[in-house]
Amino acid sequence: MSLFDVLPRSAAAVAGRLTVGGCALADLAAEFGTPAFVVDEAGLRETARTYLREFGARHRDTDVHFASKALPCAPVTRILAEEGLGCDVASAGELAIALAAGFDPAHILLHGNAKSDRDIGDAVAAGVGVIVVDGPDDVDRLERLAPDRQAVLLRVNPAVPGETHAAMDTGSPEAKFGVALEQAPALLERIAGVDGLELQGLHVHIGSQLLDLDGFGRAAEALAGLGHFGVYDLGGGLGIAYRPQDAAPTVADYAEATVGALHAHLDPTARLIVEPGRSVVGRSIVTLYSVVTVKRGVLTHVAVDGGMGDNLEPMLYGQRFAPFVLDADRSGETCELVGHHCESGDVLERGVELATPRVGDHVVVPVTGAYCYSLSNNYNGARRPPVIICNDGDARIGVRRETMDDLLVRSVL
Ligand SMILES: Cc1ncc(COP(=O)(O)O)c(C=O)c1O
C-alpha cells in the first residue's frame, strides 16, 4: 500500500503540495495555525455511503449507527447525519452533541455500563429509539424514568474476547460491560415483565480495532441460546489501517462478517444494528503540526506543537502511526516524533523515518479521525486544536481553537 491509502480519500499531490479536500495543507497551517485537525468532508460522505451500500446489499433491514465516542464533534457528525447514518451515544453529554448534530432521536441509541439518572432521563425525554440495558440497575432506573413503551435491548457479555489491545477488548468474561450469558435469561424475563419497556432484542460489542472478524460469528453463536428476538445489535469494532504496511479488513468484510453471523446463528429476518466508530471517521482526518525543536543526540528528537494533548492513541493503546514531513523532498533520518508535553511517554511515533526535519516544518499524522479529538485534553495548559472542514477547495472552521481564556472559563476566581 502507499501513503495515499492511509491519507484521506480526497488527498492529492498538486505541484508538490499535499492537498486535502482541495486545500493545500501548507496553506491551512498558515491560515489556521497548528496543531489542527483537518477533515475531508467528501471522504467522510463516501465512507458513510459505503457503509449504507455494503450493509444494504447484504441485509436490507440494517441500521448503521455511528459510534459517536470516536468523534463527538457535531459540525463533523452532522455530515454523517445528512448521509443517513444513525448515532450511538454513551452518555447524556454525547446525546446532547448528537442532537445538536441533527441526528433524528428515533435513530439514536444509548448504551453505557454505568448510566446515571441523567443519562437515562435525557434519553427518554429526547425520545431515543433504543436504550441498551447493561444490567439490573438500568432496569430499576428505567422503571422509574421510562413511563411509555421504551424500546430496549439487553447487552450480553458473550465471553468472546475481542482480538485487540487489552484496553479495547470488551468481550472477555472479566469485562465490565453487559451481563454474563448465564445471568441473561433472568434479566430478560424481568425486562419482559416491565410495562414501560418493550424488549426488542440483544446487544453485544466485543472490542475495538478488530483486525480479525471471526469473533462476530462466535459472539452471535453465544447469543443464539437466549431465544428469538426481532433485533440484534452486534456492535462496532472494525479495525483500520494506520500505516501503509497495515492490513485491515474492509467495510464489505465487516458487513459480510456481521450479516453472515446474523444469518447463520440468529435470525435472517431480524433487524441488524451495527455501531462502527473508528472505521467511519478514522481515515478522514489528519493532524497538522509544526516542528518546534529538533535535538540530535543519542536519538533525534523531533518535537511538535501537540502530542498527548491531542492524540492519546499511542500512549493508551500502543497505536502506531505513519507521520511525515509535509511537502518535503529531502533525504530521511530516523527520528523520535515527540510532543511538547512534560512527560517522557509523550511520543507520537518511535523510530520513524522523517525527511531531515527542521524547525518550522509541518508534520502530518494521518488517520487521526477516531478517538483523538474525543480524548484531547488540556494537559500542560494545551489549547485543544481547531477542527477545519475541507471540501472542494473551501476550508471552514468546524470547531475553533481553544484560547487562554477557555483554560480559565470554568474557574471561579
Ligand atoms: C458499545 C460500543 N459500540 C461501538 C463502539 C465503537 O467501536 P469502534 O470505534 O471500534 O467501531 C464501541 C467502542 O469501543 C463501543 O463500546
Side-chain angles (χ1 to χ4, degrees), residues 10 27 29 39 42 45 58-59 66 70 86 104 114 134 158 171 173 184 200 217 221 313 342 345:
S10 73
D27 292 345
V39 182
R45 287 191 189 281
R58 290 169 175 83
H59 189 78
F66 169 62
D104 173 3
D134 210 80
Q200 292 194 336
E221 215 176 339
E313 288 269 301
C342 198

Side-chain angles (χ1 to χ4, degrees), residues 25-376:
L25 291 178
D27 292 345
L28 296 178
E31 185 174 352
F32 301 104
T34 59
F37 293 117
V38 177
V39 182
D40 171 20
E41 177 173 341
L44 200 58
R45 287 191 189 281
E46 180 53 33
T47 307
R49 288 173 197 167
T50 302
Y51 257 102
L52 295 177
R53 190 177 60 241
E54 295 297 344
F55 275 91
R58 290 169 175 83
H59 189 78
R60 271 174 58 86
D61 196 6
T62 304
D63 277 337
V64 180
H65 287 266
F66 169 62
S68 66
K69 61 190 289 197
L71 186 70
C73 180
V76 180
T77 57
R78 161 174 291 178
I79 296 165
L80 301 175
E82 284 168 7
E83 290 298 329
L85 298 197
C87 189
D88 124 17
V89 300
S91 69
E94 283 186 359
L95 172 63
I97 296 168
L99 293 171
F103 286 100
D104 173 3
H107 221 176
I108 294 178
L109 170 151
L110 171 74
H111 65 84
N113 72 301
K115 299 181 212 62
S116 65
D117 278 12
R118 177 77 194 262
D119 295 329
I120 291 184
D122 282 13
V124 170
V128 304
V130 180
I131 295 180
V132 180
V133 171
D134 210 80
D137 294 328
D138 274 356
V139 184
D140 292 348
R141 286 193 168 88
L142 283 161
E143 277 184 309
R144 272 191 291 115
L145 301 167
D148 297 325
R149 296 291 285 169
Q150 172 64 55
V152 296
L153 305 177
L154 175 63
R155 179 162 180 175
V156 177
N157 178 333
V160 174
E163 291 191 27
T164 181
H165 189 282
M168 293 191 278
D169 160 29
T170 52
S172 287
E174 301 80 16
K176 66 175 180 175
F177 302 97
V179 295
L181 276 171
E182 314 77 70
Q183 294 169 349
L187 194 53
L188 286 167
E189 202 179 313
R190 180 176 164 206
I191 296 169
V194 177
D195 278 345
L197 302 182
E198 183 195 331
L199 174 61
Q200 292 194 336
L202 303 177
H203 175 289
V204 285
H205 171 74
I206 59 172
S208 188
Q209 184 58 7
L210 302 172
L211 297 172
D212 177 336
L213 304 182
D214 289 350
F216 288 106
R218 291 198 293 277
E221 215 176 339
L223 297 186
L226 295 175
H228 287 284
F229 297 90
V231 181
Y232 292 94
D233 183 334
L234 297 183
L238 172 62
I240 56 174
Y242 281 83
R243 301 174 300 170
Q245 65 266 42
D246 296 340
T250 62
V251 173
D253 296 332
Y254 174 51
E256 199 67 37
T258 49
V259 170
L262 179 81
H263 290 188
H265 302 293
L266 299 165
D267 183 347
T269 65
R271 181 153 66 97
L272 174 66
I273 301 177
V274 287
E275 306 168 354
R278 185 186 305 272
S279 55
V280 177
V281 289
R283 185 180 163 190
S284 289
I285 298 184
V286 301
T287 308
L288 193 51
Y289 297 108
S290 296
V291 174
V292 178
T293 175
V294 180
K295 284 187 205 154
R296 294 189 168 84
V298 175
L299 297 170
T300 296
H301 286 109
V302 177
V304 292
D305 50 359
M308 64 195 295
D310 54 74
N311 186 353
L312 276 170
E313 288 269 301
M315 301 85 197
L316 288 178
Y317 312 118
Q319 185 57 59
R320 307 291 306 269
F321 287 84
F324 60 92
V325 179
L326 179 65
D327 302 340
D329 186 14
R330 300 191 285 256
S331 61
E333 76 180 295
T334 304
C335 304
E336 301 288 286
L337 183 68
V338 300
H340 63 163
H341 295 276
C342 198
E343 197 78 39
S344 289
D346 179 29
V347 179
L348 287 167
E349 184 61 23
R350 293 186 192 282
V352 59
E353 191 81 353
L354 294 178
T356 316
R358 303 169 188 154
V359 172
D361 279 349
H362 298 306
V363 169
V364 179
V365 178
V367 198
T368 55
Y371 301 104
C372 291
Y373 172 88
S374 35
L375 290 166
S376 62

